[in-house]
Amino acid sequence: MLTAQGLDLQFGTNVLGHLFFTELLLPALTKSSEHNKVPARVINTSSRMHTSLSAPLSGVDLVTVKGGPERDLWVKKAGKLGAPLGLYGQSKFIIISVSNYWAKRYPDVLVSCAVNPGGSKSDIARHQPRWKQRIVNFNQYPTPCI
């Protein structure tokens, strides 16, 4: 699936959403850090699925980020199971990198980290067949309500 801008939906949601939201909050986070004399905290949600691809060894396959014939070929080659898992894992690898970027770019202003919340039941598999939803949710914990 693609965003309205033609980018991979998981990349748009898991990476660009986090990135732009933090960017918009940066003035307030900086002000808070200066006022409290303590760095603000940015916690990005990642996943252990970032280990399910070869990105740490070979880098991110940028062909997958923007819709088009090259991406379509990649998706076809990766297959019905491999493509969604690969795209998800890749987006989670990138958000770890983005989180590390914020930490290095603003060390006196931000404590930035990416965390794996563990197996939380969510609607992440809502577009998958029912049998896949059951597999995804088999060993998951209810998503906490705050």
Side-chain angles (χ1 to χ4, degrees):
M1 295 171 62
L2 301 174
T3 66
Q5 297 78 20
L7 300 173
D8 177 67
L9 183 61
Q10 294 187 86
F11 175 77
T13 303
N14 297 339
V15 178
L16 295 181
H18 289 66
L19 178 71
F20 290 140
F21 186 60
T22 303
E23 183 75 32
L24 289 171
L25 288 176
L26 198 53
L29 295 170
T30 301
K31 195 174 198 176
S32 171
S33 177
E34 291 169 355
H35 176 75
N36 295 317
K37 309 289 188 237
V38 178
R41 285 153 182 80
V42 174
I43 301 171
N44 291 298
T45 307
S46 188
S47 167
R48 68 180 178 183
M49 287 300 293
H50 82 279
T51 63
S52 68
L53 70 154
S54 60
L57 300 175
S58 64
V60 173
D61 192 345
L62 295 178
V63 165
T64 64
V65 175
K66 186 171 182 176
E70 287 181 285
R71 180 181 187 276
D72 294 344
L73 186 61
W74 182 93
V75 168
K76 185 177 180 181
K77 185 177 175 184
K80 289 184 179 184
L81 183 61
L85 291 176
L87 293 168
Y88 178 78
Q90 185 168 267
S91 75
K92 293 304 183 173
F93 173 77
I94 297 170
I95 199 58
I96 292 170
S97 301
V98 168
S99 188
N100 291 342
Y101 163 79
W102 288 120
K104 289 177 184 171
R105 177 79 168 91
Y106 299 100
D108 299 329
V109 175
L110 295 177
V111 171
S112 176
C113 61
V115 298
N116 172 16
S120 299
K121 281 186 183 175
S122 69
D123 286 338
I124 197 160
R126 67 186 171 278
H127 298 295
Q128 300 298 319
R130 189 93 172 136
W131 67 270
K132 282 187 183 178
Q133 291 178 26
R134 288 185 180 146
I135 291 171
V136 168
N137 286 319
F138 177 70
N139 247 351
Q140 307 293 316
Y141 299 98
T143 305
C145 296
I146 298 176

